[in-house]
Every structure is written in C-alpha cells, then in structure tokens.
C-alpha cells in the first residue's frame, strides 16, 4: 500500500476535519502518500483529487464542516459511475481508501470494495450516533452540547414565566441527541422515534409538573417522532388542554451540525483517523473502525449498515425520575 | 427618599439581574433601604415584597432571567388594582420605584406615577432594542451574539453543501437582532419589519449569489416580517424557483432570551442600575434612564414609549455590499 | 433506610450540582427523605444540615460549583470530630450518606464508615480524573473542554506569528487534562507527571517543528510536571535555545474548575447520583459508584483510593504522530 | 484610484479578518482591484503580494487571527526598506493602501505616506482599545468577553471556598480590558496602569469584603500594573496579611487574542473596512477611520498616535460601589 485516498461524504459532522488531519499525518508518519478526494464520490468520478501534506491539515482540527467538501452523487449508484471512479483512482495510483461518513457512505464503499477489490476502511462521522460498531460517532458529542446549550438558554427564561417549551432537535431515526440533551437540560419529557409517546402521555407529564407547581416545562422532541414535528405536536397539545395559553416552539435545525467540535469529538476523530491508516497497513478492509469500551475495533460494513444500535433504556427511565 | 422598591416586568432579558444587583448595591452605598417586588405588578398588588441586601444579589451578575421573576398582570390595568398596589407600597414604606422592563412596563409605570405621584425611574431591559431614549437596551447584545452563534454554526455546514438556509430570529416589530446577526454572520439577505422585502427580491439576491458560484446562502428573517414566518417564506421561495431542492429552516425562538449576558450587557445594566438610584436621589421621576453616546441620559416615559428608534440604514446597505 | 444525607467535599467540580439533583430526586422517587449537609465534613460536625426537596435542586443542573458548598475540615481527622459528626446525623435521623468528592473525601468517608458503621456511598467528583473505579470523574470533561478552548484561542493567534506558547493546565498528579486538551488542541508537545520529559526533549520537538517550517508551537504542561511550572520550564528552554525571542506563558488555574458543565458531565453526574441512591437501597456501602464501559459499577473505597488509574499510553503516542 | 493594497500588521486581534473581508468586498462593489500584502510591511518589502477576490474572503468573518498574517519588520524602519516597499507597490500598480493594526502600524504608515505620498487609511485593530480616534478598536469587545468568561469560571468555584483570586488580563499601557471584565465579572478590586493602586489599598478592599463575610474575592490586574504582575502582587499581599492561606493566580495571556469575534467586533470591523474604501475614494489619506458616537470619523495618524484616550473614570468608581 503506497497511496491512500481519503474523502468525506454525506452530511457533515463536527470533527470530520480532525479525522482527516489524523489520516493525513498518520500516512506521513508511516511513509504513505495521501490524496484528498474532494466532494466525496462525485469528486472520485470527476477526478477532483489533490495531494495532501502535513500543512494541508494545519489549523483545521478545531473547525466544523469538512475542508474536503461533501456532495450527493447519483452517478456512483450505477456500475458505470463506479467504474469511472475506480479508473480515476488508478490514474492517481491510489491503492486504498478511507471513507469518512455515515450509513450511506458505507453502503457505497461496500459495493465499491466488492466490485473493484480496492481496500477501504470507513470512519463513522455523523451527528446522529446511529451507527452500529462504535459507542459514539464523530460529531455526536458536539451536537448534543449544542442542543443542550439551546435547552439551557430556554431554561434561563422558562424560570421566569409560566410556559411550555417544545424544542425540536435532530435525529430522524434516532433519539440519541434528544435523550442526552433532554437529560442534560433537565427536560420534563423527551419524545424519540424509538419509543411511542402519545400526546396524552405528554399532557400527563406536563400536568404532573404543574401539580408540583413547576412554573414552566420543557419537552425535547427528536425530528423523527411519529406524532409529527414540534409545531404539530404543540398544536395537538394545545387542542386538548384548555387554558394552556403560552406555548413556544424552537426548531434548531442545522445549527446542530456546526460549532467547534468538543474535546471528545476531536480525540475520537484523531484516534479513528490514525487507526484507519494502521488498519489498512494491517491488511484490514471492508470494515468500519470504531471505539467500543475505549478499545479500537473493526466492524464489517455489512454489520455497521444493517445492525441496530439500541438507545440505552436506562437513560429513558432517568428522564422521568429526574424531572420529578 | 428612604426606601426604594425594585421590580422586573414583561419579557425577561439577559442582564436584568446585573441591573438589579447595581440597584441594590447602589442603594446600600447611598444608605437607602431597598425592597424587591417579586413578579412585577402582580407582586405589587399581592404584596409579594422582600427586603434585599448585598448578599441577596451575590453571584447573579452572570445569570440570565430575573431572580425577582416576572409575570403578566391584568389587574394593574384597572385603577383598583393600582390602588391596591400603592397601598402595599405604603405599608412597606416604599417611597420610590425602579422598574426594569420594556414598553409595557413603562406604560404601567407612567400611569401609576401620574395617578399616585410616587417617583419612578425605568430601566430599559428587552432583547429587541426597540426603545427610544437609549442606544442599546439590556439584553440586546447578548441576543445578537446568540443569534450570531446560530448563524455561524449553520455557515460551518453550509460551506459543505449547496443549500439555502432560512433562520428566523426574534424582533416582532424591530429588525435590530436580524440586521446585526445578519451582518455579523455574513448573511446573503436580511428581512426586517422596517422595510418591505418581496419574495422576488429574496430570489434575486439568492440568484445573484448562485451566479457567483456561491455554494450556499443564508437568509435571516425577523419574526415580524410581513411575508410571514421562516417556514412560510421558504415555501414561497420554493414555489417560485424550480430545481431548488434543498431548503432548511431554523426557528431560534426563546433560545435568544437566555444565555450568559455579554460584558456589554452587564456593564450597561450596572451603569443603568446605579444611575437609576442616583437619578431618584437627584429628584428625577417619570423617566427612563438610558445611555446615549456613552452618556447617561433621562427620557420621559412618554417619549420612550411613543417615539420610534429607527434602524440604522447604513447597516441595511452593508448587508448587500458585503455579501457580494 | 429512611433518611439519606448528602454532601460535597474537597475541590468543587462542574457537575456536582447535577449529581446532587439526581440524588435528591432519586430519593424522592423512592420515598426516601433527603438532607443536605452544607460545607462537607465541617457542616456535619457543626450540624449545618437542611432538608431538601424537589424544588431545592431546580435549575441547578447547569451550574458549576456546589450549592451545598465545600470546606476543609481538620477536626474530622480526629475521632472526636467524627463522633460529633455522627451524633449530629443521629439527631437528624440520617441513616445513610452519599459523599460527592475526590480521594480525600473518600478517605474520610472510609474511616467514618468503619468507625460508625453508617452506610456510605461515594460519587467521584473532581476535574483531575485521577480516581480508580470509574472511566471518568464528574467535572473532567468540562475541564478538558475549558482547557481546550484556551488552546484554541492561542492557536488562533499562534497562526499569525512565530512563537512558542506554554500553557499550564491543572493536574498535580495526573496528566489527563493535559493530554486530552493537548491532543484536542493539536499541541506540539505535552508534559505530564506520569512520564519524564526532559527540557532537551521539549527543545527537540520544537526544533522538529521549525525544521518543517511551522511558524509557531504550543506546549501543554500539567501543573505537576517535575521540570517545574510553565514559567520555569519556559525559562529553561529560553536559556538553552539562542535566538528564541518570543515565548509566551498562560497559567489557566482555577478557570478550569468553573464553567457550565458539558452534556457528558451532567449525564454522568445524573447517572451516578441516581445509582448511588439505588446502591444504598440495595444494601451497598463503603463503596464508590462509577461508570466503566458504560456500566454502573461499585468499587470499594480502599481500591478507589489506593489503586492507580493509568494514563492511556495510546494517547501519549498520538501527540507525537499527529503534530508532525 | 484603481488598485488598493491591504495588509494587517502588529499583534493580531479578533475581527481583523472581518475588516479585510469588508475592504475586499467594498473594493469589488466600487470596481476597484484589491491586493493582499502578506506579513505586513515585511511582505511589502519582499513583494509577497496576492490578488484578492470575493471568494478569497469567504467564510473568514468568524475567524480570529489574520489570514494575511502579520510579522515584525525592522527593515521598514529604514528609508531603504521603505523605498523597496514602495517600488514593489508600483510594480503591482497599487496606488493606495489600507493598513489594519495598532499604534506601531500607523506610525509606519504615517512615515511611508509622508515619504512616498501614497494615500493610506488606517483601521484600528488591537484588543487593548488604547487608540485615540475611535470609541472602540477591533478585537476589544471579544477580548473583554474572553477575560470575563475566565472571571465567571473562577467566580463559580470561588463561591464554594474561602479564597482570593488574582487574575491577570492584557493591557500593558491600558486598563480597558481589566476595568470592563472586572465590572462585568463583579470583581472586588481592579488594578490598572492609569491609576496608582497600592498593595495596602488592595488589602483594605479585601478586608472590607471579609468584614461583610464575603467568602472569596477576585482581583483583576492589568499586566502593566506598576506593582508588578499577578504573581508578584499576590506575594506582596500574602507577605502583609497573616493567616491568608489560600491565594490563587491565573495569567490569561494570549488566550485573550483569540476566540470567535463577537457580533460588535464583526460589525465594527465591517463598517470600518467599508468606510476605509469609501474614504480613499473620497480623497482622504493619512488618517485612521474610527467610529465615535456611532458615526464614522477620520482622525489624522498624528493625533491617533500621540493623543491619549482616557479611561472612563465613571467605570473605576463603579467597581468600588458595586462590589459592596
């Protein structure tokens, strides 16, 4: 293995740049040439490929987003597109790949690896934390802290009035951000896609708080909740509780994708980036690198894509007990 | 003047506690007793009044919200309610008032002062900055920085994709937060209640950016815009631009009311709190204290309520030039 | 078990209040009365003990420090002091204790538990993370992020000049904060108490960077380094490298003890607080509760005090590779 | 005027990039070509000059430091050096300059302008705020908030113990950062170069606090205080007060030069950048652009360098009253 190509794909996550930096410097340390493929699979097909050196990744460890950019790519879903991509890699002499991204990225990498037998290792980067094979994904800790900071701000003002606040955080298929920011922010209720929460249960939780003379309440909602988005849920609650005058809604949206990565995200990203290089050197391929119980582990793309990482039920239980 | 009563009323704003602290310590410095009236006019009517000393306001300078709490009060709008309130003040021997709040607070204070001839000075605390008689209101600088931080986070991720982001910030009648966070965040367009911006103008600004191959664009919208809220505006834009696939919306909401107050908000609040005490000692009344051109000034409640503070047109011009 | 007393002792750490909140609400959930002992062992001896309810711990989850206060206490080191403390607990009917603190706190708790047979469970709260029996201590994640933010700020400016920056972070006996903020901040060198780093090694690392035309370098030093504090080390380096004009020193000090606790610190604290209550209910005693590999575990005070938690050598290795 | 050259010089300050962005986009708006001179006067002499366009300054408004870099330059102090610099400017066709920096930068600009008659406008960028001709300099608001955040963190922990904290902030010749972060942070005492504060006065202030049973005290010291740095002052206090066991020192250092610029710094920088371009178009030269009382103003380099901007005495008075 002499030349590694590295790229980011799918939604960006804070810490991706730290992972890239670790890949580049890990390669240099081991005497491997390293190329950056810009705009993910799209750049691979179009040959948007540039050599990287130590300076290329100076001063990016603290920056969100991805300096290699990211893009969607329909063409890579077709064998012809992948053929073109592979030809480009050959042209540059790239004989192994590191793919930083989420489920969709790994699905592409798996097919590509099976079709063209080029060694690939994936690094899990997504704020949603919904990837099997690693305790945490890059970007998750930052996103939770961003969401938490919003909950904190609302709690500052909530304390001064009688109000119900609904805060919608990210997580279309996964309640990780909602549950952690909900516990961390002392929310009265958390609604996640993994468990069914009815509007009546929300109302009960709110009423329990009022009966203890809480002056205001916070409900954190993951965007993928089956009862709808935060506006819809707030309307449903309002419709059933009379005299509920003051309801306010916050939709955080992509605010959660940005922000300076936290220490844990940078350290995780650095560790995964370096381990991906070392994994390729050790002959590993078709796998995603992760950290489980503070140990570096490798999981087949197949498992990482199809297996479910369950939400810690202990945390769901805590929301109820701690909002007493 | 021997006993001053102080209260917060209306929507809370970061820095109100710093103002309260300055009122209390200013009173102590000048040998005046000071009482806190909890829950604004409501507490005045109900006699929810407590003595304050130096320790009462320890360690609150950095906290958002208001430790004196705030509430709405229908009863104070009636002469009977105000009579009850005045009787309570007499009972406690309170012979002057300091009211921390916004327009609504000062309207109540003005009537009360005219009816019962008790000296009152107002301190402008509202994140909207829409009060005549002071360059800035307490809480505005913090709210702008909170909104800006959201714009920054979105810019982090915007840089990696082709997208249009609509961010709704506070300001029902005033575009101050929108214009300042828009300039500070390098937005492509800012929509404020003070000026009419059509959907076509938004689309033109976006298209100008695309023609310069900008990969993503940010539009900051004050909640009071006549074209609707951020969701509605985004739908209108989508309806008229074909092939505009990727639009995302953030509604910050009450996140902007919280957060640790900035240095400028704390210093302004400290200065206004102390000056309010000194103003009462100097025999001033029926006025709001403010800072204009770094000088403490007093403006009659009448002017502060009815006169308009115009948005700096120079800033509106800057948005367009700087997003080139 | 009917009444639990809870206290904080030793140096405070961000998240202690979140742990206290979880203890109080956990007790309420299980129908146990709960008392707060103010100023740690000192308050126990002096009878500074107050009943706590759900409202007592409202709105403290996000606040650093400890609302129960902390203090040193010489008297508790003597059997007579401990006897007085025990008598006070009996007077209040307190039949079990939860101690939030570090090594010193647990040493006291161990002796007390052995002498008076009152059930005690400890919760590890210290920014240093140097306690055996838990992957992380409460406050560590926050402290690392605070230190990291300082390194980031310095990197911002370092990028513009030719300079060497020495940053001293906390950790008298432990390099955890130094190593994590060093990796997260992309430092050129980290000096920790666990390993011997000579001044010559520092100079070599700096010169390696200069030879790669790095314009500036950052050295993170744990306060307990055997070569001295940051000023002393900077002087030693200056003495041996001629033409090294520009050296700057930052001593963060207690800045690292404060700050809003991170999501991870709050969640850890909440989990440990609740688990401590549940541990006492299950008959556990003389143990510290911790989280290892995401599982709640109990470790005897003896082990938690005497056993060493080693610094992950993998992280030390990473500093060198990633600063290439 | 067809080609403007822009550079940053001296110590960097957060917001310099925002000023650069405004200069570049202002030039584009007015149809003027714009070149970046890297490393200040050094780059001018060495011909390190690059064309800038709208994209060159994308996504830098939120970044501290200066993308044009900064450097010291002995050679520019000699007429020969300045001649070389001027010849380079001629080679590129640059017929006007915008200099972003502090006193030293303007001193160089003044001589250069007088010697070679090339139009120059200066933009005040320094965290110290010690420049005559503008209410605030770029970077000051950010630096104050950074220092304030450190004071806040220490206050969090100070509240839990009996301690005296000495915090040294920047300001060799100017107490602006010290006084503002001291008031904002509720410090017991502030020591600034502008006024003489004896060690005995410090001790008196501390003892006054102790007599009111304050549990801890914070003293903010500007680095240029005549009694020495924070360590030296803490030692002097310790020597004279017996039983003063617990003194802690923080030296913030260059942490204050970094950090994401605040909204006010970005808006000020944007306004000054654009106004500098417009000033050159209007034929202004040999002047610094500033904002006084919210109006753009131009001050001759001579005045801006030699005249003193006094510290607001009202603020000094406030420290004492508010720490009661």
């Amino acid at each position: 293995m002499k030349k590694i190509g590295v790229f980011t794909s799918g939604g960006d996550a804070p810490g991706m740049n730290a992972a890239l930096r670790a890949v580049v410097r890990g390669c240099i340390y081991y005497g491997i040439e390293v190329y950056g493929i810009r705009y993910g699979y799209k750049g691979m097909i179009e040959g948007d490929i540039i050599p990287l050196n130590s300076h290329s990744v100076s001063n990016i460890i603290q920056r969100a987003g991805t300096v290699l950019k990211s893009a969607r790519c329909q063409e890579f879903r077709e064998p012809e597109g992948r053929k073109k991509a592979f030809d480009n890699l050959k042209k540059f002499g790239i004989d192994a790949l590191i793919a930083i991204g989420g489920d969709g990225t790994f699905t592409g990498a798996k097919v590509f690896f099976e079709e063209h037998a080029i060694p690939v290792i994936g690094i899990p980067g997504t704020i949603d934390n919904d990837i099997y094979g690693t305790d945490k994904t890059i970007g998750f800790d930052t996103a939770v802290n961003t969401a938490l900071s919003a909950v904190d701000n609302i709690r500052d003002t909530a304390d001064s009035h009688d109000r119900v606040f609904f805060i919608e955080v990210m997580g279309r298929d996964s309640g990780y951000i909602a549950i952690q920011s909900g516990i961390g922010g002392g929310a009265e209720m958390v609604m996640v896609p993994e468990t069914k929460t009815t509007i009546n249960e929300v109302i009960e939780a709110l009423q329990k708080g009022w009966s203890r003379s809480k002056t205001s309440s916070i409900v954190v909602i993951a965007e993928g909740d089956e009862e709808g988005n935060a506006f819809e849920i707030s309307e449903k609650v309002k419709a059933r509780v009379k005299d509920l005058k003051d309801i306010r809604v916050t939709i955080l949206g992509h605010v959660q994708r940005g922000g300076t990565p936290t220490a844990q995200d940078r350290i995780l990203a650095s560790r995964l980036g370096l381990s991906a290089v070392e994994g390729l050197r050790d002959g590993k391929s078709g796998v995603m690198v992760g950290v489980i119980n503070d140990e570096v582990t490798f999981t087949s793309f197949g498992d990482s894509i199809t297996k479910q990482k369950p939400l810690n039920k202990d945390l769901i239980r805590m929301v109820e007990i701690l909002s007493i």
Side-chain angles (χ1 to χ4, degrees), chain A:
Chain A
M1 200 186 51
K2 288 176 177 161
K3 289 190 188 172
I4 287 179
V6 57
F7 62 96
T8 53
S9 170
D12 58 341
M16 279 188 165
N17 284 328
L20 171 68
R21 172 178 176 269
V23 168
V24 170
R25 300 212 166 155
C27 283
I28 293 168
Y29 180 78
Y30 288 114
I32 302 166
E33 276 185 74
V34 57
Y35 284 81
I37 302 162
R38 285 157 47 92
Y39 295 101
Y41 293 119
K42 185 158 165 282
M44 211 183 283
I45 290 175
E46 298 174 355
D48 192 349
I49 296 171
I50 51 172
L52 297 174
N53 59 39
S54 178
H55 282 292
S56 319
V57 292
S58 283
N59 217 13
I60 65 168
I61 195 171
Q62 78 280 23
R63 282 163 61 189
T66 157
V67 295
L68 286 183
K69 312 283 179 177
S70 181
R72 282 194 218 77
C73 183
Q74 199 55 40
E75 208 182 341
F76 196 78
R77 297 181 180 221
E78 309 301 324
E80 297 73 34
R82 294 194 292 271
K83 177 69 171 57
K84 238 193 261 181
F86 183 67
D87 290 345
N88 272 326
L89 297 181
K90 274 200 301 188
K91 208 186 305 168
F92 280 86
I94 292 169
D95 51 10
L97 287 174
I98 292 176
I100 307 173
D103 267 5
T105 307
F106 299 156
T107 304
K110 182 170 182 288
V111 175
F112 195 57
F113 161 66
E114 287 166 0
E115 231 168 54
H116 296 284
I118 184 166
V120 194
I121 287 189
I123 295 177
T126 162
I127 63 168
D128 288 344
N129 198 33
D130 56 349
I131 293 183
Y132 181 88
T134 191
D135 285 342
K136 293 195 179 162
T137 55
I138 296 168
F140 171 61
D141 191 52
T142 305
V144 169
N145 278 290
T146 301
L148 178 57
S149 164
V151 178
D152 276 358
N153 272 22
I154 284 176
R155 181 161 295 288
D156 283 341
T157 184
D159 189 43
S160 308
H161 297 92
D162 299 319
R163 276 186 184 154
V164 181
F165 292 92
F166 291 88
I167 307 173
E168 184 180 304
V169 300
M170 280 193 162
R172 205 171 297 278
D173 309 304
S174 136
Y176 276 100
I177 295 177
I179 198 83
Q180 295 223 354
S181 60
I183 291 177
E188 269 66 26
M189 163 69 77
V190 174
M191 299 177 76
V192 295
E194 286 87 347
T195 57
K196 199 179 155 42
T197 311
T198 64
I199 296 296
N200 281 339
E201 286 170 312
V202 176
I203 293 171
E204 267 169 47
L206 294 175
Q207 282 168 336
K208 219 189 288 177
W210 296 328
S211 71
R212 292 189 207 98
S213 69
K214 286 212 174 190
T215 53
S216 60
S217 313
I218 291 177
V219 180
V220 176
I221 302 170
E223 57 176 337
D225 193 85
E226 56 187 7
E227 286 286 358
N229 71 22
F231 273 120
E232 291 160 355
I233 291 172
S234 78
E235 289 303 322
K236 289 182 186 176
V237 169
K238 214 185 290 181
R240 295 193 207 168
V241 183
K242 87 182 172 156
D243 290 344
L244 183 55
K245 281 168 267 179
D246 216 352
I247 283 192
R248 302 298 166 108
V249 173
T250 286
I251 313 266
L252 272 186
H254 279 244
V255 171
Q256 296 159 87
R257 280 208 189 284
T260 305
T262 60
Q264 297 319 315
D265 268 333
R266 297 190 207 180
I267 293 167
L268 174 64
S270 299
R271 207 167 164 192
L272 293 180
L274 181 56
S275 299
V277 174
E278 294 177 337
L280 284 173
R281 289 186 78 235
D282 293 348
K284 292 200 172 56
S285 186
V287 295
M288 185 196 83
V289 62
V291 170
I292 297 179
N293 293 344
D294 205 32
E295 296 286 334
V296 172
T297 54
F298 295 87
T299 304
S300 72
F301 279 142
D303 281 0
S304 84
I305 295 163
T306 57
K307 288 199 179 166
Q308 202 69 25
K309 183 161 74 174
L311 205 58
N312 189 330
K313 297 284 173 191
D314 214 44
L315 295 184
I316 296 181
R317 188 179 73 102
M318 277 168 63
V319 175
E320 198 198 329
I321 296 180
L322 298 182
S323 67
I324 279 182

